[in-house]
Amino acid sequence: MKISLLLSAIALCAFGRAVAGNPDWPDGRRLPERIETTRLTRTVGPNRMDASDSVVGKQRLDRWFFGDFNARVEYLLEPLFSETFGGRIYRGATDTAYVLEVKRVANYKEVEEQLQKEFPRVGTSVTDFAGLSAQEQQTRLAHNRKMRRAMAAERLKRYWIETHSIPISDRLADRLYTAAKEGVFNVKPEKKRYTEDGYEIITTKICDGDVATFRCVVDDAVWTLRYHEPEGRLKTLSDLFRAMIADVGAGTFDEAKYLDALE
């Protein structure tokens, strides 16, 4: 038992030294393992897959989309009222060229319409809800929570993922990788200002909107950033990925356009 604990401690120390001293990490600094705010969550974990944890840093739909291995770059967008889609970049089977693989939920509308019928929630205006008794409010909220959980469990069973792949140059793959790595490392949520009754309020919280996930492999680590309504350079990168995915799906992908955008 003591030997096992000693070996585990040695392995952890070795991993920490390797990460801290790796010149590929920006500015020679070590990225904190976890940072969480009201709008984003950033994690760093070992680049591994196993039966218990599948892929470190992958949760929800991104494990379903990209759970078979860790690609060099991965991007997933979960819009509020439309289908989830994403893309990843990795070396092809021959290991001679990079592949841009894009995926989307092709039957989103049909599945959502069916789930709404099977698991109906009770809609109530704010005014009507306030007029209910405390017991009625709790009953209605509990019912809607139960329906949401049931819908969430059924979605992954019914969604069908459409996949397209095209080869891309090392140049484009490297530029996208650099943009993703620097974006995940340097992200800082901007503070939004608005006024309410004459008082200025500063907030970084958004209650709805798109959720984007950026992931990249850096040597023996996986960096993951899950961002609610990305902004700044990450919004620009998210929009670029979104456009690339649409072009691949439509058969109109022009690599030169994206190389120019990444200059």
Side-chain angles (χ1 to χ4, degrees):
M1 180 66 175
K2 291 181 179 179
I3 293 175
S4 176
L5 290 173
L6 178 61
L7 290 174
S8 297
I10 292 172
L12 286 172
C13 289
F15 173 75
R17 285 198 301 273
V19 171
N22 196 307
D24 287 339
W25 292 63
D27 304 324
R29 293 174 289 167
R30 181 175 180 181
L31 192 69
E33 291 185 2
R34 184 177 181 87
I35 293 176
E36 188 168 1
T37 75
T38 54
R39 291 186 58 189
L40 65 87
T41 301
R42 181 173 64 187
T43 59
V44 176
N47 181 14
R48 72 163 188 264
M49 295 177 62
D50 57 53
S52 62
D53 199 25
S54 183
V55 181
V56 173
K58 294 186 179 178
Q59 302 174 4
R60 303 178 180 87
L61 282 171
D62 53 347
R63 181 173 294 186
W64 188 52
F65 266 64
F66 306 127
D68 48 347
F69 64 92
N70 292 327
R72 192 184 188 202
V73 179
E74 295 177 354
Y75 167 79
L76 187 77
L77 188 70
E78 300 171 64
L80 188 61
F81 295 116
S82 60
E83 74 273 8
T84 297
F85 55 88
R88 60 181 174 180
I89 298 168
Y90 57 89
R91 285 285 187 187
T94 61
D95 202 33
T96 58
Y98 277 106
V99 172
L100 170 59
E101 178 187 83
V102 303
K103 299 186 176 188
R104 74 179 185 94
V105 176
N107 61 339
Y108 170 85
K109 184 177 180 180
E110 297 86 342
V111 170
E112 290 302 312
E113 288 178 352
Q114 188 61 37
L115 290 176
Q116 293 288 348
K117 294 176 182 178
E118 293 181 25
F119 306 102
R121 286 174 288 176
V122 180
T124 310
S125 69
V126 175
T127 302
D128 290 342
F129 186 80
L132 299 174
S133 68
Q135 180 61 47
E136 289 173 324
Q137 289 179 354
Q138 290 303 315
T139 299
R140 189 158 297 186
L141 290 172
H143 168 81
N144 287 344
R145 282 195 297 268
K146 182 179 179 180
M147 294 299 100
R148 282 195 296 270
R149 285 194 293 266
M151 291 174 68
E154 282 295 313
R155 280 192 179 100
L156 295 188
K157 299 177 184 178
R158 304 187 191 187
Y159 279 168
W160 173 63
I161 297 181
E162 180 181 86
T163 303
H164 298 278
S165 299
I166 62 168
I168 61 172
S169 68
D170 287 11
R171 186 181 176 194
L172 179 58
D174 289 343
R175 288 190 180 183
L176 288 168
Y177 175 73
T178 298
K181 186 172 72 169
E182 291 179 350
V184 172
F185 184 87
N186 294 308
V187 62
K188 292 181 181 179
E190 298 176 7
K191 292 182 178 180
K192 303 297 184 184
R193 295 176 179 266
Y194 66 97
T195 59
E196 183 176 295
D197 297 330
Y199 294 93
E200 185 176 54
I201 299 173
I202 302 175
T203 180
T204 59
K205 187 172 183 179
I206 294 180
C207 297
D208 56 19
D210 299 347
V211 177
T213 299
F214 303 87
R215 185 177 295 104
C216 55
V217 173
V218 182
D219 297 306
D220 54 3
V222 179
W223 301 4
T224 301
L225 174 69
R226 182 175 170 82
Y227 205 139
H228 198 152
E229 280 294 292
E231 56 198 352
R233 70 167 69 184
L234 283 171
K235 183 182 187 306
T236 299
L237 184 60
S238 179
D239 291 344
L240 186 141
F241 269 109
R242 190 171 194 160
M244 287 196 304
I245 290 166
D247 284 352
V248 172
T252 58
F253 183 81
D254 179 6
E255 181 171 305
K257 178 173 71 172
Y258 295 104
L259 283 170
D260 290 342
L262 289 163
E263 286 289 352

